[in-house]
Amino acid sequence: MPTTQKFEIPEELRQLAEDNVERARKLYLQYMEGVSEAMGLWSASPSETASPAFNEVRERAIQITRENADAAFKLAKDVANAKDLQELVTLQTRYVQSQMKLYAQQTQQFGQLMAHAFGGSEQSQPGGQAGRSGDPS
């Protein structure tokens, strides 16, 4: 009678994967630091014409990117430490479920920020055109 043999991932392979994930995470953090510095210089520019609402959108976009990257790196680290195929499948399933919820929340938040930014930018135009769209006058 055939027995089912449990597939296990060798410790050496898991350690190699974990080391590579950590190197990739460090490179990503360096990249994000550079992006943050560039965005900071851009927002400090005297010629900036973007409203504070657009700055808020930009900052939230960076924050969302970091949140999603952090979740992906956590998954990669957990996958690197997985001992068998069943654990890999479980990790991936949990990750997809949690990310789908997070993406829905982020999309809603980002949409609200964009609506506020566009609404706020129209109100800040000379002549107050934004408030007149529904006025009969």
Side-chain angles (χ1 to χ4, degrees), residues 5-131:
Q5 190 174 17
K6 188 176 181 179
F7 174 76
E8 288 204 18
I9 301 168
E11 176 62 32
E12 298 81 17
L13 186 58
R14 288 184 292 179
Q15 186 61 47
L16 178 64
E18 187 173 352
D19 292 346
N20 285 331
V21 168
E22 185 60 26
R23 276 194 289 274
R25 188 184 69 77
K26 286 178 181 178
L27 287 171
Y28 167 76
L29 290 174
Q30 289 175 349
Y31 170 76
M32 285 307 293
E33 279 182 37
V35 168
S36 292
E37 287 177 20
M39 296 301 275
L41 291 172
W42 181 39
S43 65
S45 168
S47 65
E48 181 183 4
T49 58
S51 71
F54 279 113
N55 290 334
E56 189 177 356
V57 169
R58 183 183 68 231
E59 289 299 317
R60 183 61 183 133
I62 291 171
Q63 184 181 12
I64 285 171
T65 301
R66 284 188 176 138
E67 289 170 2
N68 294 337
D70 288 345
F73 279 113
K74 182 184 180 320
L75 171 67
K77 186 174 184 175
D78 290 345
V79 164
N81 289 313
K83 292 176 179 56
D84 58 43
L85 191 57
Q86 181 60 41
E87 189 176 354
L88 284 172
V89 171
T90 301
L91 289 168
Q92 181 65 25
T93 301
R94 285 185 195 151
Y95 173 77
V96 169
Q97 290 171 344
S98 68
Q99 285 303 109
M100 292 310 285
K101 288 177 189 173
L102 185 61
Y103 293 156
Q105 292 170 354
Q106 291 170 341
T107 300
Q108 184 179 20
Q109 292 170 357
F110 203 69
Q112 290 169 351
L113 286 173
M114 289 297 290
H116 175 72
F118 280 115
S121 67
E122 291 174 2
Q123 291 174 0
S124 66
Q125 290 177 352
Q129 298 293 325

